[in-house]
Amino acid sequence: MLSTMQDVPLTVTRILVHGTLVHGDSKITTWTGTGEPQRRTFRETGLRAVQLANALRDELGVRRDDRVATLMWNNAEHVEAYLAIPAMGAILHTLNLRLPAEQLVWITKHAADRVVLVNGSLLPLLAPLLPGMESVEHVVVVGPGDTSLLDGCAPAVHEYESLIGDRPTTYDWPELDEREAAAMCYTSGTTGDPKGVLFSHRSIYLHSMQVNMAESMALTTSDTTLPVVPMFHVNAWGIPHAAFMSGINLLMPDRFLQPGPLAEMIEAERPTHAAAVPTIWQGLLGELTARPRDISSLASVVIGGSACPPALMEAYDKLGVRVCHAWGMTETSPLGSLAQTPPGLTPEQEWPYRISQGRFPAGVEARLAGPDGEFMPWDGEAAGELEVRGPWIAGAYYGGAGADPFRPEDKFSPDGWLRTGDVGTITPDGYLTLTDRAKDVIKSGGEWISSVELENHLMAHPEVAEAAVVAVPDDKWGERPLATVVLKEGSSATYESLRAFLAGRIAHWQLPERWAIIPAVPKTSVGKFDKKVIRKDYADGKLDVTKLS
Ligand code: AMP
């Protein structure tokens, strides 16, 4: 028997209309560096989004299913694009501005983007790539920039404000099927070509509701959130959509992502919440130690994208900022799990929950696949590859123009679950602890060593700024850990002292023999440790490695 409920599609259009009308007074503040920040209400933003939709349709000929790309920082205009493009039935494609040039061109071609909205400050990046981006017919420049760079290399150039300026503030939004694609993102592609994930209107709507739940980020209209995580990194973890849905004020950092400006904007604009990968928080911590600022407004922050070192969490605790650890992937929209703790615990009892990757929400079903394909118990001990499914989890990748979606076997199980490539354990009450990426685990003489565990211990050393551990080939054991360490300024730590520090904390056989001090850990385009670069540098003999006996 079917229900008696109305079948109203869950769409981004609804988020746009609702946020504009009901939360019209909420604000988006965009940092401008030195001058007064740019301030817009949700009402203004919503109306400008309508004008943008009119301009894209009437002036640029954008139609249903057309891909419209953005190469933009986190700012109010990017939010306008986030809302307008899906609501008009087109697909928002956020381009990762830190990808290597050839990948950006490849992705744009693969997605067949017809239009690129680009921040003026990013024209030097885009202009030389445009001749290779064959599908692009229009470039819309947002904010000041040297448009002469586009001379001769762009098909048609428009200036954002004049394009949208006099357009109507009403739009006859199309009736959309909630399962239609609203936005797309490519995975950072550590192996092979990047893979496109198409988020549906329904998945974005449901994910936004989850983001705001008290069990997740617990944001309300009295909050101001600062998404430092870029809007091209899995939709800034869903925060802009979730904010517009519930009237949460946004503080947008634009291109000012260095520790100094971040500290300054937190002190000046007093956000209550923020979200970023660990490397950003590590950098900010260094800045706050060197030049203390008032960040007391920040009640809680979400750290995810790679494992949050417990020492980092402790350091922010001392500053009065509660860190909430979260796990996710491009394929999971990205909210997969989030470490809110059970009630009634002392800080000591809470700690193991807080440093875990967190608890799954109802929308994310999880299981652990063991080495022989059997499913492992949720007992907090048995490890396996995490597989997930749910309404905001990808079931396939985008196949390219006209082609069917594709489901590579290493990414999807025969019964359709997403194989995450992450290895870990789950407690009986549903808390996930990741021990490694499947490809980063160190397989030493038939035993597994967690590179993340070694890194976390090393980064708890008072003189270590960063540490990355990778597997390297070993004649006797198959693989052994290589510890690469970035020391804090003025440190006199030796390899022997670092190893002695580890010795009290991990089993003796796991202690690395090979060590290298490096100036900085190489990072991926979204600020994660790029271990493949370290492995390659080691293989090419570029690292100055000391082997302790
Ligand atoms: P991406 O799709 O680029 O965001 O990468 C997703 C991957 O980042 C996951 O599969 C994990 O390997 C890693 N990741 C994300 N969050 C965490 C976390 N909290 N702890 C450990 N790894 C994480």
mmCIF file of all heavy atoms in Angstrom, residues 458-476:
data_model
loop_
_atom_site.group_PDB
_atom_site.id
_atom_site.type_symbol
_atom_site.label_atom_id
_atom_site.label_comp_id
_atom_site.label_asym_id
_atom_site.label_seq_id
_atom_site.Cartn_x
_atom_site.Cartn_y
_atom_site.Cartn_z
ATOM 1 N N LEU A 458 54.030 10.574 16.558
ATOM 2 C CA LEU A 458 55.144 11.490 16.263
ATOM 3 C C LEU A 458 54.701 12.943 16.404
ATOM 4 O O LEU A 458 55.430 13.794 16.928
ATOM 5 C CB LEU A 458 55.669 11.245 14.845
ATOM 6 C CG LEU A 458 56.630 10.065 14.713
ATOM 7 C CD1 LEU A 458 56.892 9.750 13.240
ATOM 8 C CD2 LEU A 458 57.954 10.368 15.428
ATOM 9 N N MET A 459 53.459 13.234 15.949
ATOM 10 C CA MET A 459 53.011 14.626 15.998
ATOM 11 C C MET A 459 52.649 15.063 17.418
ATOM 12 O O MET A 459 52.375 16.238 17.661
ATOM 13 C CB MET A 459 51.860 14.845 15.017
ATOM 14 C CG MET A 459 52.383 14.857 13.578
ATOM 15 S SD MET A 459 51.204 15.444 12.353
ATOM 16 C CE MET A 459 50.306 13.973 11.989
ATOM 17 N N ALA A 460 52.636 14.093 18.353
ATOM 18 C CA ALA A 460 52.436 14.464 19.760
ATOM 19 C C ALA A 460 53.761 14.879 20.402
ATOM 20 O O ALA A 460 53.793 15.379 21.529
ATOM 21 C CB ALA A 460 51.830 13.288 20.524
ATOM 22 N N HIS A 461 54.880 14.693 19.707
ATOM 23 C CA HIS A 461 56.192 15.111 20.214
ATOM 24 C C HIS A 461 56.258 16.639 20.178
ATOM 25 O O HIS A 461 55.933 17.248 19.147
ATOM 26 C CB HIS A 461 57.297 14.498 19.329
ATOM 27 C CG HIS A 461 58.678 14.706 19.868
ATOM 28 N ND1 HIS A 461 59.282 15.942 19.873
ATOM 29 C CD2 HIS A 461 59.558 13.839 20.421
ATOM 30 C CE1 HIS A 461 60.488 15.826 20.410
ATOM 31 N NE2 HIS A 461 60.679 14.560 20.753
ATOM 32 N N PRO A 462 56.664 17.259 21.289
ATOM 33 C CA PRO A 462 56.599 18.731 21.338
ATOM 34 C C PRO A 462 57.442 19.443 20.283
ATOM 35 O O PRO A 462 57.177 20.600 19.966
ATOM 36 C CB PRO A 462 57.104 19.057 22.753
ATOM 37 C CG PRO A 462 57.698 17.802 23.300
ATOM 38 C CD PRO A 462 57.104 16.652 22.551
ATOM 39 N N GLU A 463 58.448 18.756 19.721
ATOM 40 C CA GLU A 463 59.292 19.459 18.744
ATOM 41 C C GLU A 463 58.973 19.074 17.297
ATOM 42 O O GLU A 463 59.663 19.475 16.369
ATOM 43 C CB GLU A 463 60.771 19.163 19.038
ATOM 44 C CG GLU A 463 61.203 19.798 20.351
ATOM 45 C CD GLU A 463 62.655 19.487 20.685
ATOM 46 O OE1 GLU A 463 63.488 19.450 19.763
ATOM 47 O OE2 GLU A 463 62.938 19.249 21.877
ATOM 48 N N VAL A 464 57.900 18.286 17.099
ATOM 49 C CA VAL A 464 57.549 17.857 15.734
ATOM 50 C C VAL A 464 56.378 18.695 15.224
ATOM 51 O O VAL A 464 55.335 18.773 15.875
ATOM 52 C CB VAL A 464 57.195 16.353 15.710
ATOM 53 C CG1 VAL A 464 56.632 15.949 14.364
ATOM 54 C CG2 VAL A 464 58.429 15.531 16.053
ATOM 55 N N ALA A 465 56.574 19.328 14.063
ATOM 56 C CA ALA A 465 55.488 20.119 13.470
ATOM 57 C C ALA A 465 54.569 19.208 12.667
ATOM 58 O O ALA A 465 53.347 19.315 12.758
ATOM 59 C CB ALA A 465 56.062 21.211 12.581
ATOM 60 N N GLU A 466 55.140 18.329 11.862
ATOM 61 C CA GLU A 466 54.357 17.417 11.025
ATOM 62 C C GLU A 466 55.144 16.137 10.830
ATOM 63 O O GLU A 466 56.375 16.151 10.856
ATOM 64 C CB GLU A 466 54.142 18.020 9.631
ATOM 65 C CG GLU A 466 53.026 19.014 9.537
ATOM 66 C CD GLU A 466 52.851 19.561 8.126
ATOM 67 O OE1 GLU A 466 53.813 19.523 7.322
ATOM 68 O OE2 GLU A 466 51.757 20.022 7.827
ATOM 69 N N ALA A 467 54.419 15.035 10.607
ATOM 70 C CA ALA A 467 55.104 13.779 10.324
ATOM 71 C C ALA A 467 54.254 12.941 9.391
ATOM 72 O O ALA A 467 53.033 12.874 9.544
ATOM 73 C CB ALA A 467 55.356 13.009 11.622
ATOM 74 N N ALA A 468 54.875 12.340 8.392
ATOM 75 C CA ALA A 468 54.167 11.433 7.486
ATOM 76 C C ALA A 468 54.960 10.139 7.404
ATOM 77 O O ALA A 468 56.185 10.170 7.246
ATOM 78 C CB ALA A 468 54.024 12.064 6.110
ATOM 79 N N VAL A 469 54.255 9.012 7.529
ATOM 80 C CA VAL A 469 54.918 7.713 7.514
ATOM 81 C C VAL A 469 54.417 6.930 6.295
ATOM 82 O O VAL A 469 53.207 6.871 6.050
ATOM 83 C CB VAL A 469 54.619 6.935 8.819
ATOM 84 C CG1 VAL A 469 55.240 5.556 8.775
ATOM 85 C CG2 VAL A 469 55.128 7.714 10.034
ATOM 86 N N VAL A 470 55.346 6.365 5.544
ATOM 87 C CA VAL A 470 54.954 5.566 4.366
ATOM 88 C C VAL A 470 55.645 4.210 4.412
ATOM 89 O O VAL A 470 56.673 4.043 5.088
ATOM 90 C CB VAL A 470 55.336 6.255 3.025
ATOM 91 C CG1 VAL A 470 54.591 7.570 2.855
ATOM 92 C CG2 VAL A 470 56.839 6.472 2.908
ATOM 93 N N ALA A 471 55.070 3.260 3.675
ATOM 94 C CA ALA A 471 55.693 1.944 3.545
ATOM 95 C C ALA A 471 56.781 2.013 2.487
ATOM 96 O O ALA A 471 56.583 2.619 1.437
ATOM 97 C CB ALA A 471 54.646 0.925 3.120
ATOM 98 N N VAL A 472 57.938 1.412 2.799
ATOM 99 C CA VAL A 472 58.980 1.299 1.765
ATOM 100 C C VAL A 472 59.408 -0.169 1.691
ATOM 101 O O VAL A 472 59.301 -0.908 2.680
ATOM 102 C CB VAL A 472 60.197 2.218 2.053
ATOM 103 C CG1 VAL A 472 59.790 3.679 1.974
ATOM 104 C CG2 VAL A 472 60.830 1.918 3.399
ATOM 105 N N PRO A 473 59.870 -0.608 0.514
ATOM 106 C CA PRO A 473 60.218 -2.022 0.362
ATOM 107 C C PRO A 473 61.367 -2.410 1.297
ATOM 108 O O PRO A 473 62.261 -1.600 1.554
ATOM 109 C CB PRO A 473 60.680 -2.125 -1.104
ATOM 110 C CG PRO A 473 60.259 -0.854 -1.749
ATOM 111 C CD PRO A 473 60.095 0.176 -0.699
ATOM 112 N N ASP A 474 61.301 -3.628 1.824
ATOM 113 C CA ASP A 474 62.332 -4.109 2.737
ATOM 114 C C ASP A 474 62.601 -5.576 2.405
ATOM 115 O O ASP A 474 61.659 -6.370 2.299
ATOM 116 C CB ASP A 474 61.827 -3.971 4.182
ATOM 117 C CG ASP A 474 62.884 -4.389 5.196
ATOM 118 O OD1 ASP A 474 63.674 -3.519 5.593
ATOM 119 O OD2 ASP A 474 62.913 -5.589 5.564
ATOM 120 N N ASP A 475 63.910 -5.924 2.239
ATOM 121 C CA ASP A 475 64.264 -7.293 1.822
ATOM 122 C C ASP A 475 63.740 -8.335 2.781
ATOM 123 O O ASP A 475 63.240 -9.378 2.387
ATOM 124 C CB ASP A 475 65.797 -7.426 1.722
ATOM 125 C CG ASP A 475 66.305 -6.636 0.539
ATOM 126 O OD1 ASP A 475 65.465 -6.316 -0.329
ATOM 127 O OD2 ASP A 475 67.516 -6.304 0.508
ATOM 128 N N LYS A 476 63.853 -8.053 4.079
ATOM 129 C CA LYS A 476 63.514 -9.066 5.055
ATOM 130 C C LYS A 476 62.005 -9.131 5.341
ATOM 131 O O LYS A 476 61.418 -10.209 5.416
ATOM 132 C CB LYS A 476 64.279 -8.756 6.353
ATOM 133 C CG LYS A 476 64.147 -9.833 7.390
ATOM 134 C CD LYS A 476 65.181 -9.621 8.484
ATOM 135 C CE LYS A 476 64.945 -10.589 9.625
ATOM 136 N NZ LYS A 476 65.578 -10.123 10.842
#
